[in-house]
Amino acid sequence: MATNLFGILAILYGICMAVFAYASRISLFQFTHSDSTGMVCLIGALFFLFPFLDTYEGFGLNYVDKDIDPFSPSGDNHRRLMQKCRVYHACWYLPVGFMFGTFIAWLIFPDYIQPQYSILSAFAALSGLWFIFVYPQANKLFN
């Protein structure tokens, strides 16, 4: 229950950052141009990203090269989680796709888009999707 609530809050924060990325020309969102707003938003995104990183490494999903540690279970854990949880790929592809799509749009319309907020949105959305959809399955699978 707490992880779902955290995931929902992270997704809502990611949506706010996505709005900040595209609404910079609207007078209501002019505050997003200041450096202090960017720093506060970065701290907020890191608040949502660090629990994701902690649980991701806790389940042994961080990649370890087989030449360095031949007994690392990271590849096997990924395969098991991908078989058990079908949303695992979307957890990665949706935030990264949004981030790169925003950068492409920024190259076309540089005055209308602030791409740094799309990175923060991707961090928060990745964490939110992880804690809502993937974490319950991973917790059952690895604990």
Side-chain angles (χ1 to χ4, degrees):
M1 178 66 178
T3 58
N4 285 340
L5 179 63
F6 185 80
I8 290 169
L9 289 175
I11 287 178
L12 289 174
Y13 189 81
I15 290 170
C16 287
M17 293 299 104
V19 169
F20 286 0
Y22 284 95
S24 65
R25 298 290 278 189
I26 299 172
S27 62
L28 181 65
F29 293 99
Q30 289 296 317
F31 68 92
T32 61
H33 293 285
S34 71
D35 292 335
S36 60
T37 302
M39 185 56 66
V40 169
C41 291
L42 173 67
I43 291 169
L46 292 177
F47 170 77
F48 289 111
L49 184 66
F50 283 138
F52 159 72
L53 293 175
D54 186 43
T55 57
Y56 189 78
E57 288 184 8
F59 291 137
L61 295 170
N62 51 327
Y63 179 74
V64 177
D65 192 9
K66 292 291 184 181
D67 295 335
I68 296 171
D69 185 8
F71 301 108
S72 173
S74 67
D76 298 331
N77 288 351
H78 275 286
R79 280 189 287 283
R80 288 174 48 204
L81 186 58
M82 282 188 269
Q83 290 172 353
K84 183 75 172 170
C85 182
R86 297 182 185 265
V87 189
Y88 183 68
H89 293 292
C91 177
W92 292 102
Y93 293 143
L94 289 174
V96 172
F98 172 75
M99 184 174 58
F100 284 118
T102 301
F103 275 104
I104 290 170
W106 176 65
L107 291 174
I108 298 169
F109 306 108
D111 294 335
Y112 295 99
I113 298 171
Q114 294 183 359
Q116 68 271 21
Y117 290 111
S118 71
I119 296 169
L120 303 178
S121 174
F123 285 170
L126 173 67
S127 180
L129 291 171
W130 170 265
F131 280 108
I132 290 176
F133 298 111
V134 181
Y135 178 78
Q137 298 293 327
N139 197 21
K140 289 177 190 173
L141 194 61
F142 300 123
N143 284 339

